Amino acid sequence: MKERQYIARRQAEWQAWDRWLAPAKRPVAAMPEQLAIDPAGLPQRFRRLCHDLALVRDRNYSATLAEELQQRVLAVHQYIYGAAKPEGNALLSFFAGDLPVLVRGEWRVVVAAMLLLLGPLLAMLMAIQVWPDAAFLLLSPDTVSEIEEMYSPAAPHFGRPRTASSEWAMWAFYIAHNVRIDFQSFAGGIAFGLGTVFYLLYNGLYIGAIAGHLTQIGLVETFWGFVAGHSAFELTGAVLAGAAGLKLGMALLAPGLRTRLVALQENGRVAVRLLYGAAALTFLAAFIEAFWSPLRGLPLAVKIAVGCAFWLLTGAYLLLAGRRSRAT
């Protein structure tokens, strides 16, 4: 079939989609008369539009027609699945509801990442209380000396190495440090998930070794008072980055009926959105760690209470946010 004949045959439906995508959009449930279908028929219509695009490309029709169809397919997909929001509200919409809905939908990889990170962390922390030398399985003597100095009651600034000059410098340092850790966990998924598993386990053990050693030598107030405020956001961000890496790994290990390339592309889109959430939490944790965590003069009970409140807020956000908007 020649291009002109194909356009003439399919143009009416394409124009119907264009009218549906006009600025005065209606909810998906209230289908416009131009499409003359009930909501149950929408998936078939959309698949037909995707088929049009594939056929145009396969027959080497004009690039202009292919581009128009590609833009139309993308616009319909975004509108149907809720990705097409006014630009000013897209970021707000993602963090207000889409991210927690995504986390709940991907709960298996999120729970797996949480266990891989927090399980070794707690195990190492408790083991060092019984066997103090276990800390040196992961920490060098120089590292132990440095962290003891950073969290000593006599330290001029808790948690800050001597090379840091200000809170802003520490914010940048924490961002760079935590982003590196999160990206390692994410990128490790491309090695069939093994890299992600390794980095989650290692970081859990490493953090547990530091926490366990400082607790065992009695620096409870300075260390736990420092980490309480930002721990919820930092550890949750690390878990989401790990979940994103595991999502990539699952595409390669268990693609199902898809090819590994297609599975990696599809899972990659989900993984990147999880990584967006991890990045936001990491930036927030770094800000709190630089400006709130080192504050002196506040009782340990106050800092612990603030930390617990942040953990409760984080849990409530991930478990509850977005439910009402999805229900409607």
Side-chain angles (χ1 to χ4, degrees):
M1 184 182 297
K2 294 183 178 180
E3 180 174 342
R4 289 185 180 179
Q5 294 175 316
Y6 190 75
I7 292 174
R9 180 180 175 183
R10 301 291 300 136
Q11 192 168 28
E13 189 164 331
W14 297 344
Q15 290 174 345
W17 280 117
D18 292 339
R19 289 191 293 271
W20 190 63
L21 291 167
K25 292 172 182 165
R26 310 177 204 184
V28 173
M31 297 302 300
E33 295 80 359
Q34 293 91 338
L35 284 178
I37 58 175
D38 65 26
L42 182 59
Q44 290 78 11
R45 289 270 184 160
F46 182 50
R47 283 196 292 271
R48 203 150 58 230
L49 182 65
C50 294
H51 177 71
D52 288 340
L53 175 60
L55 199 63
V56 164
R57 287 174 170 172
D58 184 62
R59 293 178 178 177
N60 292 318
Y61 287 162
S62 68
T64 300
L65 178 60
E67 177 66 21
E68 289 177 357
L69 279 172
Q70 181 174 339
Q71 293 300 322
R72 193 174 284 117
V73 166
L74 179 61
V76 172
H77 180 277
Q78 289 176 330
Y79 184 43
I80 291 174
Y81 293 100
K85 306 286 196 295
E87 290 187 6
N89 296 332
L91 195 62
L92 177 62
S93 174
F94 175 72
F95 288 109
D98 293 349
L99 175 61
V101 168
L102 176 66
V103 170
R104 293 194 294 271
E106 300 296 332
W107 67 269
R108 292 175 180 82
V109 289
V110 172
V111 170
M114 181 178 64
L115 293 176
L116 287 169
L117 180 71
L118 300 186
L121 189 160
L122 295 174
M124 179 60 77
L125 192 159
M126 292 184 290
I128 291 175
Q129 309 316 303
V130 179
W131 179 32
D133 287 345
F136 292 94
L137 295 175
L138 286 165
L139 307 176
S140 68
D142 289 341
T143 300
V144 169
S145 177
E146 182 180 354
I147 62 173
E148 288 179 0
E149 181 180 351
M150 288 168 58
Y151 295 101
S152 167
H157 301 282
F158 293 145
R160 183 193 300 183
R162 286 175 293 179
T163 54
S165 59
S166 67
E167 286 83 359
W168 291 103
M170 284 311 301
W171 187 32
F173 170 80
Y174 293 138
I175 289 174
H177 179 263
N178 293 339
V179 165
R180 177 179 60 82
I181 292 174
D182 290 351
F183 187 75
Q184 285 174 336
S185 296
F186 168 68
I190 205 66
F192 293 87
L194 294 176
T196 299
V197 172
F198 169 79
Y199 283 115
L200 287 172
L201 289 173
Y202 175 78
N203 287 321
L205 290 169
Y206 190 86
I207 296 169
I210 292 175
H213 176 72
L214 294 175
T215 301
Q216 196 275 329
I217 65 174
L219 298 180
V220 173
E221 184 168 353
T222 53
F223 174 73
W224 290 105
F226 179 84
V227 301
H230 62 270
S231 60
F233 305 123
E234 183 174 307
L235 292 177
T236 304
V239 166
L240 293 187
L246 292 177
K247 191 70 178 177
L248 294 181
M250 289 301 298
L252 299 173
L253 287 173
L257 299 178
R258 305 168 294 177
T259 66
R260 281 189 168 85
L261 179 59
V262 171
L264 190 60
Q265 290 172 337
E266 294 178 356
N267 284 22
R269 286 191 285 269
V270 175
V272 166
R273 289 166 66 82
L274 288 171
L275 194 63
Y276 290 160
L281 289 168
T282 294
F283 273 73
L284 180 57
F287 185 84
I288 296 172
E289 190 172 3
F291 294 97
W292 163 264
S293 298
L295 291 180
R296 293 178 179 274
L298 292 175
L300 176 62
V302 172
K303 288 198 166 185
I304 296 296
V306 170
C308 290
F310 284 154
W311 273 106
L312 289 173
L313 286 172
T314 303
Y317 166 69
L318 293 177
L319 292 173
L320 302 176
R323 291 185 181 275
R324 179 177 300 178
S325 61
R326 292 282 165 167
T328 57

